[in-house]
Amino acid sequence: MLARAAAASIDDIGAAAGRASMKAAGVVVDDTAVTPQYVHGLNAERELPIIRKIALGSLRNKLLIILPAVLLFSEFLPFLLTPILMVGGAYLCYEGAEKIWHRLRPHEETHATVEDALPDEKTIVSGAVRTDFILSAEIMVISLNEVVDQGFWSRAVILAVVALGITVLVYGVVGLIVKMDDVGLHLSQRPSKGVARFGRGLVKGMPKLLSALTVVGTAAMLWVGGHILLVGTDELGLTFLYDVVHHLEEAAAEATGALGSVVGWLVNTLGSAVLGLVVGAVIVAVLTLTLHRRKQPASGAH
């Protein structure tokens, strides 16, 4: 009887974890798109070690910080979850807008050495883990909303399973993506002409794919951050922005027939991304002006 009860409990936990993971699938895709940009352009032998460190940092985020926090907040201070998540969403908007700003503004000429030009591994990992923290927090909160009817300890186990499974999935896929050029190089040396041609295609195509994922990752930051702010303002009673995007989504869905659900989702995504870009641009502008004013007295003192 104990074994049967335990098996039923495990089945329930597995099913609930599966439902929760499916609800967070959109953010999981964004997490997968964001991460490869941190190893883009690095030496091949540094890619997997850095991804491994980011994955471990992500798992620590989920299990040691986010999981206890969301459980305690959901149990005792549920009204704080939305504002805290919105602060994280604003940070994601800032990250995305800052990346766009750095690409658009003219670069100052520097006389950096080759050693200076190489990315610092600790900086790369800390930046990636910091961004992952926000995405992981949304994943865990979305998952929590799907199992809020469960008991406290059931919720804890289900969210731990979700955290472990999603981390393995995301960083396993990221590892495969960044090493596909090595796989292509290996295949290009095979005697079979078809396999060798496919391998050469992988080698040529992967740099373009990684560059594209860098763009997708930046867009994902703006979309996810903007969506967090959009939903958060609605939950806090400021429904204007959410209503506008929701009405546009419904109108687009009704006007496009069979493709309505896809087009509606794209409209919602675009609206979230535009909001994320606006909020991120405001934060970047405020920080840039603040830092510029701080630097002016320092430069005038010399």
Side-chain angles (χ1 to χ4, degrees), residues 156-225:
V157 174
I158 290 167
L159 291 178
V161 171
V162 170
L164 182 60
I166 284 179
T167 303
V168 171
L169 173 64
V170 167
Y171 290 97
V173 172
V174 169
L176 285 175
I177 289 173
V178 300
K179 298 309 290 183
M180 283 305 291
D181 52 350
D182 292 342
V183 174
L185 183 62
H186 177 72
L187 292 177
S188 67
Q189 298 169 351
R190 290 299 186 97
S192 171
K193 290 184 179 180
V195 174
R197 191 181 302 114
F198 177 71
R200 288 192 295 271
L202 280 179
V203 172
K204 291 180 181 178
M206 286 312 297
K208 296 177 182 178
L209 175 61
L210 288 174
S211 297
L213 280 176
T214 300
V215 176
V216 171
T218 301
M221 288 180 184
L222 296 173
W223 167 40
V224 175

